[in-house]
Amino acid sequence: MTAVFSPMAAVQTAIMGRLRTDEQLGELVSGVYDYLPETTPFPYVVVGEATETPDNAHDRYGRQTTVTLHVWSQYHGYAQAHQIADRVTALLDHQPLTVIGLTHIVTRYEFSQTLTDPETPGNIRHVVLRYRIITEQPPA
């Protein structure tokens, strides 16, 4: 029987690689992180939480992984955060993704939400983005 493994780490690595190597996104943000040093300058993107559910068929193992990304900005208003979120979506939504050890089927944009940090000074804008990545394990 084929060993089944979680794609979460491989999917995160693929997403971070895609985002970190894009020059246009690099001009918009100070970086793309999964661990954020306290002194990181705004704006930036954080690869955050993930969930995984089985998406198996009779002859293969598959997974659906949802990944939440966070765009953070101190620009007055949401214009900068929206521009960054738009670039992230252009890089991921329905684009091929190299996920090591797996066959990438599709990446789909699911939703976004804007939030304003209520803590003083109240000038932090936050856009939450979620994507669904469908992968399959190659046959043994």
Side-chain angles (χ1 to χ4, degrees):
M1 180 172 209
T2 302
V4 181
F5 67 94
S6 169
M8 277 198 212
V11 165
Q12 178 182 359
T13 298
I15 288 172
M16 291 188 72
R18 169 67 54 81
L19 299 180
R20 284 180 170 171
T21 58
D22 183 69
E23 288 182 22
Q24 189 175 343
L25 182 61
E27 292 174 4
L28 298 174
V29 298
S30 66
V32 177
Y33 304 93
D34 70 339
Y35 169 79
L36 191 66
E38 286 186 35
T39 58
T40 303
F42 289 90
Y44 52 81
V45 176
V46 176
V47 179
E49 305 75 19
T51 64
E52 177 184 306
T53 56
D55 191 22
N56 301 325
H58 295 290
D59 61 343
R60 55 137 181 97
Y61 293 104
R63 294 289 186 268
Q64 292 192 25
T65 306
T66 60
V67 177
T68 304
L69 304 178
H70 303 271
V71 175
W72 296 92
S73 170
Q74 282 188 317
Y75 185 82
H76 295 270
Y78 280 101
Q80 183 183 59
H82 285 304
Q83 182 182 18
I84 295 165
D86 288 348
R87 183 64 190 155
V88 169
T89 297
L91 290 168
L92 296 177
D93 188 32
H94 286 86
Q95 298 301 312
L97 195 60
T98 302
V99 183
I100 295 181
L102 298 166
T103 302
H104 174 258
I105 305 303
V106 69
T107 298
R108 293 187 185 118
Y109 164 82
E110 284 199 340
F111 80 87
S112 60
Q113 178 182 5
T114 58
L115 302 166
T116 301
D117 189 339
E119 298 292 321
T120 303
N123 65 342
I124 298 175
R125 301 296 188 253
H126 180 192
V127 178
V128 179
L129 302 161
R130 188 168 69 200
Y131 302 88
R132 181 172 302 271
I133 299 91
I134 301 174
T135 56
E136 292 180 353
Q137 281 188 220

